[in-house]
Amino acid sequence: MNDTAQRTGRQAAERPDSARVVITGLGVFSSIGIGAKEFTEGLRAGRSGVSPITAFDVTGYDRANGCEVRDFAPQEWITRGPASELGRASQFSVVAARMAVRDAGMDEDELRGRRVQISIGTTDGESRDMDHLAASWVSDGPEAFDPGLSRRLSADRLSASVAQELRLTDAECVTLATACSAGNYAIGHGFDALRMGDADIALCGGADAMCRKSFTAFYRLGTIAPDFCRPFDVDRQGILTGEGAGVVMMETLESALARGARIYAEVLGYGLSCDAHHPVSPEQSSIERCMRSALDDAGVAPEDVDLISAHGTGTRMNDVTESRAIRGVYEGRPPRTISLKSMLGHTMGAASALAAVACSLAITHGFIPPTINHRRTDPECEIDCVPNESVDADLRVVQNNGLAFAGNNAVVVLGKY
Amino acid sequence: MTAATLAITDWSAVSPFGTGRDAFVKGVRQQQSTAVQLDRERWGGPDDVACLVPDFDVRTVLGKKGTRSMNRVTGLAVATSGDLLASADGLEVPRESTAFVLGTTVGSAQSTIDLTRGSLTGERPYHVESGLIPYAVMNGAAGQCAIWHGLRGPNATLSAGRPGGLVALNYARRLLLSGRAAAVLCGAAEEYSDARAWIDHHSRDDGAAGPVLGEGCALFSLTTQPELPPLAELLAVASGTFADGDREGAVARCVRRALAAGGAQAQQVWVACPSGAAGAEGDAEIAALNGLFGASRVGTPVAALIGETHAASASFELAALLSRAEDDASCAGRTAVITSVDPGGTAAAALLRLRPDR
């Protein structure tokens, strides 16, 4: 390795193939579809993943809709040991990673001979298990904690379990616990590891399981919508919590071309920033700084960007701050800006990973997924959110925003290869 | 591995030895044991003893402003980063270019469980303390460090088990080499709490006795442009797993790969520092290092003095290595290895050059 190829900021076409990173496999488990094909259909149709929450007892909450992955059957994908030995978030990350590898046409035996970067983002890790411990504590005291749950709580298991299931020994496993932008952090980390020659293959994305803790936290902050999530709508009332996983398999362009892989999209670059401002409220200038650094890293100008997949939670605070930041960077002329959370709910650490999968599919198939449940755009947002109906579009560059509690911002820029 | 220098210019720790780098160096030098009898009025876990940061109370240490709901792990991280920034003459970079990278296991198990307990016991299920919410999310501590110290560069919280402190160094390395940051504060933190103690207790078969738990935070300043000769250079980090069941083989493979990437020979290594893992993982780690370096060059883990600090354990091993290097001029210019291993199946090794001649 040398350090000449490590700084990006150059247009992708000017980079050597060994320093270009492409997405060649997609793994997706979501409330609107499982697998790339079904997910694409869901995105095109503007499908809603909303249903009444069943993950925990919702007695006493006045509103309790969410976006759950129904009929999740991890045992079809997890073969090494009983799937029930993993927490639900780890089940999601493992199945999505295996699906991404299969989708990429990579034989698992061959993968075991490669150096693999596994980066999985999450907000809550195995907080659903932690909820069960909390319930034990209340009913019987902490003396009654379940040993099986106690052993699998550490958030590192979301990434380490991928290596265990796929029997990858030459892997660096990292769980990025940067909350609701963590999927983008994970993809960015894999991008750097590949460009620097630290890894041959990267399995990156995000996973979260619906849990009482997160739902209650957002509820307490007054941000849970009563029925649907309506980002950028003047009558929006907040988020719906969701769950699922998105994992992309990435490799250098050199590697993808050598094995004749299908290329969904190229990762052009990414940016990170921290607000250093408030634990839960976003800060406009820091979001702008993050977007600018991502575009610089990608070697593209704002006018090159055809679509923004916004963080777009559907809270007033987020939507107004984020759309102002977008208008700031795009000098009042932003491209079409959608929120996938209208369909998927807020899948926490999986959100920006599922969005990256969606952006890759949008680039591949030439369409823009809609922002559903939309009636009237908030004049304070001033963006075209592609309401309710998907549209066909040739997308060359797409920006994927992820914002989070703790002011952890991460923006990934994808391009058509 | 790379032409760029990854310099460790300074560090600090808030540990069972006390607050600050000097307290840690002194603790290592004097081989102080730190286990104390727990006050049963304050702690309700299964343990009689633990290695606590002495007299650490968040509001006493950090003051009453902005700390009302702050949990212990955040207090430890804010105090450590504050101490490091106060002493860091070398960190003359804008805070926009300063990254913060923190290893964790689950953030705070106590805060996370407390939030749900509040939901289960409150008059309404959503009557929970709003101030607790940021601390019941894993990136709460790193976010608070950014707020307290105005660190606006990349801010990352990562969980990689006991090797987390070494994986965090690799993350920092990539931020520096990619130009995403000009300086990085990097390390890991772990708090002692009733919840963590109970979880640890139940995670062992039939409640068998485990290592004494410890806590604390250690952070290191890294940059590619040191103004003064650094304390050490990070030459390489290599990670792996024992998904094939071979723990010893995994540790040895990580060490060999780190040596190869850093252009070092095993026979030239000054010391190899294991992480002091309990059980089969710890035995395998020692066996791997004994095989590669001979028992005389394998150090005693600082965990023997400050307890099992889980996510923070590898960062404390690095702090202990730098402490020993301060006291021993014979290490100048020589390489050292730090390893770690986790029951979850992962291992890692870091290779450093101590007191490089510049």
Side-chain angles (χ1 to χ4, degrees), chain A residues 116-365:
Chain A
V116 185
Q117 180 71 39
I118 302 171
S119 302
I120 302 294
T122 191
T123 295
D124 291 314
E126 299 297 3
S127 285
R128 184 186 288 211
D129 288 343
M130 211 85 89
D131 283 347
H132 289 295
L133 296 189
S136 295
W137 193 316
V138 169
S139 58
D140 303 304
E143 298 84 353
F145 279 1
D146 181 322
L149 301 189
S150 299
R151 273 191 279 269
R152 70 186 197 196
L153 287 177
S154 178
D156 77 290
R157 299 303 168 89
L158 273 66
S159 48
S161 298
V162 172
Q164 293 298 313
E165 175 63 26
L166 300 177
R167 285 187 285 132
L168 306 176
T169 52
D170 206 354
E172 179 174 89
C173 308
V174 189
T175 301
L176 283 153
T178 48
C180 301
S181 57
N184 270 351
Y185 268 82
I187 290 168
H189 190 212
F191 173 71
D192 281 343
L194 290 166
R195 285 191 312 121
M196 291 180 188
D198 290 350
D200 306 313
I201 298 289
L203 296 171
C204 300
D208 259 303
M210 190 86 99
C211 68
R212 184 182 185 105
K213 182 211 77 177
S214 246
F215 178 78
T216 303
F218 281 103
Y219 203 105
R220 175 66 181 81
L221 295 173
T223 56
I224 297 284
D227 49 5
F228 298 108
C229 173
R230 306 176 191 283
F232 307 118
D233 193 292
V234 71
D235 296 321
R236 67 190 168 281
Q237 291 176 280
I239 73 165
L240 293 178
T241 58
E243 65 177 0
V247 171
V248 297
M249 187 175 122
M250 303 190 290
E251 57 195 302
T252 63
L253 179 60
E254 190 177 38
S255 160
L257 292 176
R259 65 182 195 90
R262 167 190 47 194
I263 295 171
Y264 286 103
E266 177 169 7
V267 182
L268 301 177
Y270 78 106
L272 302 174
S273 76
C274 183
D275 296 356
H277 170 68
H278 189 276
V280 298
S281 299
E283 202 270 323
Q284 185 181 332
S285 72
S286 174
I287 299 167
E288 291 183 13
R289 191 158 50 85
C290 189
M291 288 193 267
R292 287 199 179 94
S293 74
L295 295 175
D296 287 349
D297 195 49
V300 299
E303 56 267 28
D304 300 328
V305 178
D306 300 311
L307 174 68
I308 297 173
S309 164
H311 188 60
T313 55
T315 65
R316 185 179 187 285
M317 174 87 83
N318 175 86
D319 291 359
V320 171
T321 308
E322 186 181 14
S323 55
R324 281 181 184 158
I326 290 169
R327 293 185 64 79
V329 171
Y330 285 81
E331 295 175 345
R333 294 185 300 278
R336 286 178 280 196
T337 299
I338 58 164
S339 172
L340 295 157
K341 291 184 178 68
S342 61
M343 290 183 259
L344 299 165
H346 193 339
T347 55
M348 306 291 146
S352 49
L354 283 168
V357 172
C359 292
S360 301
L361 291 167
I363 288 169
T364 301
H365 298 295

